[in-house]
Amino acid sequence: MMAATTPTGLAKAFAARTRAVEGGHREWTGRPASGGGRFRHQGRDYTAARAAFILRTGREPVGTVRPVCDRPRCCDPAHVDDQATRQRDRATLAAVKGMEHRPPSCEHDQAEHGRHRATGKRYCNACNNPRPEPSCAQGNPRCGAQPARPYPCGPRCEEHQPAHTRPYYAAA
């Protein structure tokens, strides 16, 4: 189903770089040959999965687009969903299964960080994927000292500041 928001010629560009395979799946044949494939159309970059999602729904995806079938690199429009759709489907599965959810035991806003596993079970994405504090990237192996300030060459501690920034010492 093509909607008015689908870029003109996207279906043709997508079809020229993919082919139907057994089981109703579609695979990438363009360059690069491996992976999900990327191409440029009307000045915008598309992955095969993103283009397939746009062709099916007529809207931009929310989050990552992945195949929901058993074929990891399938890019058939009927077989891909964005993150929002997958989460909605998993929440529906949890409701159908009658899974009771305990209130989260963390301080994160579950409207933003709450997710559902493929089984329907809830989890907090912020707790399961914490962002580490930046640590000094100097040396091999890395120094790893904290706190570290961001520099173009990577995060550095006070001791390993780049030479051209030496006047910027931490206040005592």
Side-chain angles (χ1 to χ4, degrees), residues 84-157:
T85 306
R86 289 190 309 273
Q87 290 299 320
R88 182 201 66 215
D89 291 348
R90 290 173 180 173
T92 303
L93 174 65
V96 168
K97 287 177 122 181
M99 297 178 83
E100 301 250 349
H101 297 301
R102 291 178 279 145
S105 58
C106 64
E107 71 281 354
H108 298 112
D109 178 15
Q110 294 304 299
E112 179 182 350
H113 300 289
R115 302 283 192 275
H116 287 85
R117 299 199 189 287
T119 60
K121 186 175 179 181
R122 286 184 61 108
Y123 71 96
C124 177
N125 192 46
C127 291
N128 283 344
N129 298 303
R131 294 187 186 264
E133 289 293 319
S135 60
C136 184
Q138 172 66 26
N140 185 13
R142 296 175 22 166
C143 167
Q146 289 180 331
R149 292 182 54 194
Y151 293 98
C153 56
R156 301 290 171 91
C157 65

Side-chain angles (χ1 to χ4, degrees), residues 60-73:
E60 286 291 324
V62 176
T64 57
V65 180
R66 294 187 181 138
V68 293
C69 61
D70 60 350
R71 195 171 193 132
R73 294 188 178 141

Side-chain angles (χ1 to χ4, degrees), residues 2-8 10 42 44 46 54-55 57-60:
M2 291 195 41
T5 59
T6 304
T8 307
L10 181 62
Q42 293 182 349
R44 294 194 61 193
Y46 293 91
I54 292 170
L55 290 172
T57 64
R59 68 174 176 85
E60 286 291 324

Side-chain angles (χ1 to χ4, degrees), residues 15-77:
R17 294 170 173 90
T18 61
R19 70 173 176 201
V21 293
E22 63 185 51
H25 302 285
R26 185 165 285 280
E27 71 180 7
W28 179 256
T29 59
R31 293 187 183 257
S34 65
R38 296 180 175 275
F39 66 100
R40 194 161 181 82
H41 177 70
Q42 293 182 349
R44 294 194 61 193
D45 291 324
Y46 293 91
T47 63
R50 179 172 172 243
F53 182 82
I54 292 170
L55 290 172
R56 180 173 55 98
T57 64
R59 68 174 176 85
E60 286 291 324
V62 176
T64 57
V65 180
R66 294 187 181 138
V68 293
C69 61
D70 60 350
R71 195 171 193 132
R73 294 188 178 141
C74 180
C75 59
D76 188 84

